[in-house]
Amino acid sequence: MIFESHAHYDDEAFDADRDELLNSLEDSGIEAVVNVCSTVESIEAVVRLMEKYPFVYGAIGVHPDEVGDMDGQVLEKIRRLLGHPKAVAIGEIGLDYHWNKESHQLQKKWFCEQMEIARQEKKPFIIHSRDAAEDTLQTMKELRAGDMYGGIIHCFSYSVETAREYLNMGLFLGIGGVVTFSNARKLKEVAEYAPLTQLVLETDCPYLSPVPNRGKRNSSLNLPYIAKELANLKGISYDQVVDVTSANAKKLFGL
Ligand code: NI
């Protein structure tokens, strides 16, 4: 069974059929989902999802585009919710220099503050890093993130050299729909290079649908396309990809 390590089922894109879709996952071979918070507003919705569905777990945290809404109270709320039995990680947190919605300084501040919560609460982290390769890696090194409780660099989009640094820190790389795109040469190289024991599968749905559904709303039902592409790239079986990535996620999240 496939483990979905990164989804956003609280997104309004799922308002029309959320229940039906989530209830169909198990029959389609998806055994568990980590629903990841992005906005401050989404925190409550993610808690509701993980309390409603036995196979849905939560990552609690605030995305770098959204840190303008952060304050000490929100930080304490995140800390408190990490004590919830179904909260498995802090996330998604990090740096996004593509949209630059918030200043780099403010992004770094809340990235570091949330990483500190992960350390104190002994939880893994889920990192979002876009067009911020150098600053993310430097910050992670300064924080000694490799000595914490593990984590995922989600939707990994950097070079093999950068991948090596994170792999050496014992972290996992999240591989999603982009790996199926014909122009994703760099990510295909990373997927070939990284040991299967340090990869997890993700969709980031409703975004980033893999081929052949590129451009449409994404969901965990598309994970087999990602697993197939990974199997092709590594020259191993589909079942091996599914089994090992699922075991990786469970080990990381303590499930
Ligand atoms: Ni995401």
Side-chain angles (χ1 to χ4, degrees):
M1 299 273 281
I2 299 178
F3 194 108
E4 159 75 279
S5 68
H6 196 117
H8 298 285
Y9 285 112
D10 53 295
D11 193 282
E12 62 184 10
F14 298 108
D15 281 355
D17 60 348
R18 182 175 295 108
D19 246 357
E20 199 186 334
L21 178 59
L22 283 168
N23 285 322
S24 77
L25 294 183
E26 195 183 352
D27 283 343
S28 302
I30 314 299
E31 65 176 323
V33 172
V34 175
N35 200 96
V36 181
C37 283
S38 49
T39 65
V40 171
E41 247 189 352
S42 72
I43 295 175
E44 294 298 337
V46 171
V47 171
R48 277 198 298 276
L49 285 174
M50 68 189 192
E51 287 181 346
K52 180 168 182 185
Y53 299 93
F55 54 89
V56 174
Y57 298 87
I60 313 292
V62 174
H63 186 290
D65 286 349
E66 303 292 334
V67 291
D69 295 334
M70 280 294 281
D71 58 27
Q73 257 182 320
V74 176
L75 196 66
E76 282 315 304
K77 182 176 185 168
I78 292 169
R79 182 202 300 281
R80 180 171 53 77
L81 284 171
L82 286 175
H84 190 293
K86 295 196 76 189
V88 293
I90 191 159
E92 55 188 291
I93 62 174
L95 301 173
D96 191 315
Y97 295 176
H98 180 78
W99 297 113
N100 280 317
K101 261 189 76 186
E102 301 295 345
S103 72
H104 294 186
Q105 195 192 357
L106 196 69
Q107 290 188 41
K108 273 187 210 168
K109 170 187 158 66
W110 289 112
F111 178 27
C112 293
E113 296 262 15
Q114 292 184 92
M115 284 292 280
E116 193 50 36
I117 298 280
R119 185 194 308 279
Q120 291 168 3
E121 302 302 315
K122 300 185 166 51
K123 288 286 184 186
F125 43 73
I126 297 177
I127 304 293
H128 168 104
S129 175
R130 188 164 182 201
D131 294 350
E134 249 175 69
D135 274 11
T136 307
L137 185 59
Q138 197 198 328
T139 305
M140 300 277 282
K141 282 184 172 170
E142 282 167 9
L143 295 171
R144 297 185 166 278
D147 299 334
M148 290 172 59
Y149 301 90
I152 298 171
I153 313 297
H154 131 76
C155 196
F156 190 82
S157 59
Y158 301 130
S159 64
V160 165
E161 290 67 34
T162 305
R164 183 181 300 128
E165 300 262 9
Y166 288 119
L167 294 168
N168 286 341
M169 293 165 86
L171 302 179
F172 293 90
L173 309 181
I175 305 292
V178 176
V179 79
T180 66
F181 299 175
S182 56
N183 59 354
R185 186 184 51 82
K186 202 169 62 169
L187 180 58
K188 287 177 198 282
E189 272 175 31
V190 168
E192 273 186 70
Y193 167 78
L196 187 61
T197 49
Q198 283 182 272
L199 297 180
V200 291
L201 301 180
E202 63 170 50
T203 57
D204 204 19
C205 65
Y207 312 106
L208 296 171
S209 261
V211 173
N213 293 324
R214 192 172 178 178
K216 296 183 192 157
R217 184 188 74 172
N218 198 4
S219 83
S220 309
L221 298 175
N222 285 322
L223 284 165
Y225 297 114
I226 299 164
K228 257 174 228 163
E229 178 65 22
L230 207 46
N232 282 340
L233 288 167
K234 298 184 98 56
I236 57 179
S237 74
Y238 173 84
D239 286 347
Q240 202 180 346
V241 169
V242 168
D243 292 349
V244 175
T245 55
S246 170
N248 293 344
K250 287 179 191 164
K251 187 176 153 204
L252 175 68
F253 295 128
L255 299 174

